[in-house]
Amino acid sequence: MVVRTLAAAFFLAYLCARVAQRIGLPYAIGALVVGVCLGSAGAIEAGVASASSTLRWLAFVVVLLRAGTSLKAKDVVDGGGIVARLCVLPLLCEASVIFAMAIGWLGWDATEAGMLGFAVSPLSPALVIPAMLAFSEQQRGREPNLVLIAAPLEVVLGTTCFSVFKNMHSGGAQEWWVTVLFVLLAVFGAMAAGCL
């Protein structure tokens, strides 16, 4: 029953995504509409809903694998400085504006404003990566490849900063630099494993 529910949901999402593309909208909008409608109507079984976090993680892994297999090592090496600016500057600018607005308008404290800023600011690789892959297939230069590299890095940076503010807000015994160190070790460990 769970398999049939998933198959029906994927089929409907695919159909609506194609319709959205035909009328000039991002295909993700169609899939999102299907998810909202099915969830609101209670058509998703409890077993599927409980596995949603695992399914989201698997989808994210598939998207990143697809992006990684389309990249060239030369683009990664040559575009290092551009990628660094792409993944750092937009994130910090957006997070800073949200941080200031949350403190000034909402009256939140600094740690809550920091969590909001770094939760909202990172872009979604699930939306950006497919579009950049389509641009790459259309031979639009190396810029789409640079965005492909920068998008996951921006998410990692945003997650790291969010974890730091969350730890400070919860008043945990763990120092903020320990959180940063753990995240960096996890990132570089995964990169080393990928190179092997």
Side-chain angles (χ1 to χ4, degrees):
M1 194 67 177
V2 172
V3 174
R4 280 186 294 180
T5 303
L6 284 175
F10 284 135
F11 180 70
L12 288 173
Y14 175 76
L15 286 182
C16 287
R18 297 292 291 180
V19 170
Q21 278 185 317
R22 287 293 178 92
I23 62 177
L25 294 173
Y27 72 93
I29 297 295
L32 184 63
V33 168
V34 170
V36 171
C37 291
L38 291 178
S40 301
I44 303 297
E45 295 181 11
V48 177
S50 63
S52 62
S53 61
T54 303
L55 293 173
R56 284 195 302 269
W57 181 81
L58 287 174
F60 186 63
V61 169
V62 169
V63 167
L64 292 182
L65 282 174
R66 188 176 172 211
T69 54
S70 69
L71 293 174
K72 299 176 182 175
K74 185 176 183 299
D75 291 333
V76 177
V77 174
D78 294 345
I82 299 174
V83 168
R85 292 192 294 272
L86 275 175
C87 70
V88 172
L89 294 180
L91 175 71
L92 293 182
C93 289
E94 292 178 35
S96 299
V97 171
I98 295 171
F99 180 85
M101 292 174 64
I103 292 177
W105 288 359
L106 302 177
W108 292 9
D109 63 31
T111 55
E112 292 172 336
M115 284 193 292
L116 178 65
F118 286 106
V120 174
S121 298
L123 51 80
S124 172
L127 297 177
V128 174
I129 288 177
M132 293 301 107
L133 288 173
F135 287 151
S136 295
E137 291 169 0
Q138 296 169 11
Q139 305 294 324
R140 297 199 181 185
R142 70 170 189 159
E143 286 80 7
N145 289 337
L146 297 178
V147 176
L148 281 176
I149 302 166
L153 293 177
E154 185 183 67
V155 173
V156 170
L157 178 60
T159 304
T160 304
C161 294
F162 176 85
S163 299
V164 170
F165 279 103
K166 180 183 176 185
N167 186 58
M168 290 191 296
H169 180 70
S170 61
Q174 183 172 292
E175 297 288 343
W176 66 268
W177 60 268
V178 177
T179 304
V180 175
L181 181 61
F182 278 141
V183 173
L184 291 177
L185 284 175
V187 170
F188 287 110
M191 290 171 62
C195 292
L196 295 177

